[in-house]
Amino acid sequence: MNTHLYRNIPAGQEDLIARLTERYAGQRIRFHTGFVGSVPVQASGRIGRLFFYFRFRGDTASLTLGSADHRSAASRAKHARRKALRKLRRGVAVDWFGGFMLQQDLRRDTALDRHPSRAVWYAVRNDVTGERYAGDLEPEEAAELFIDMMSTLQPAGPEPRWHKLAKLGRGPWTPPMPDHRVVIRKARQ
């Protein structure tokens, strides 16, 4: 098995991820992380040219496929590199950990978003375990849930245009106030 292609796969999950990679070989799936974490359990990677993000928390699972917004991430990375260079020149990071973090900020791909910020496909499943505050899954259970969600993917609708919704508040129509936000006016004397 060729495990050097995987980025952050725990040692116990290499076979599981290899099986999932084989199963979805036609879609060219690559896992960047295994099924890691607890409350939430998460996994991320790529399917073809799209990024995917799997998440399970609070008895709800979601799988989102889409493209990442690299322009804003690249801007954040450029700012982080400039800030790290300033700190290194001033000698701010003298301890080992601070220096390590600054060296990491100097990498070219710092803060590049690997999660889909523009959803193209999605799947959501509620009541996975029947426990309202669930958040832990064994890797095999997470893989089964991932397979189930891959089979129920559906196209995402168009993104909302918030600037058009903001115009509603400025127009002649205003939404009614709820009863608990009634304005009380003083009587004139």
Side-chain angles (χ1 to χ4, degrees), residues 5 54 69 105 113 123 143 157-158:
L5 299 175
F54 170 82
D69 185 9
D105 283 345
D113 193 3

Side-chain angles (χ1 to χ4, degrees), residues 159-170:
E159 292 196 20
R161 302 197 180 252
W162 299 109
H163 63 280
K164 289 187 177 183
L165 294 175
K167 288 180 184 177
L168 288 176
R170 295 188 300 262

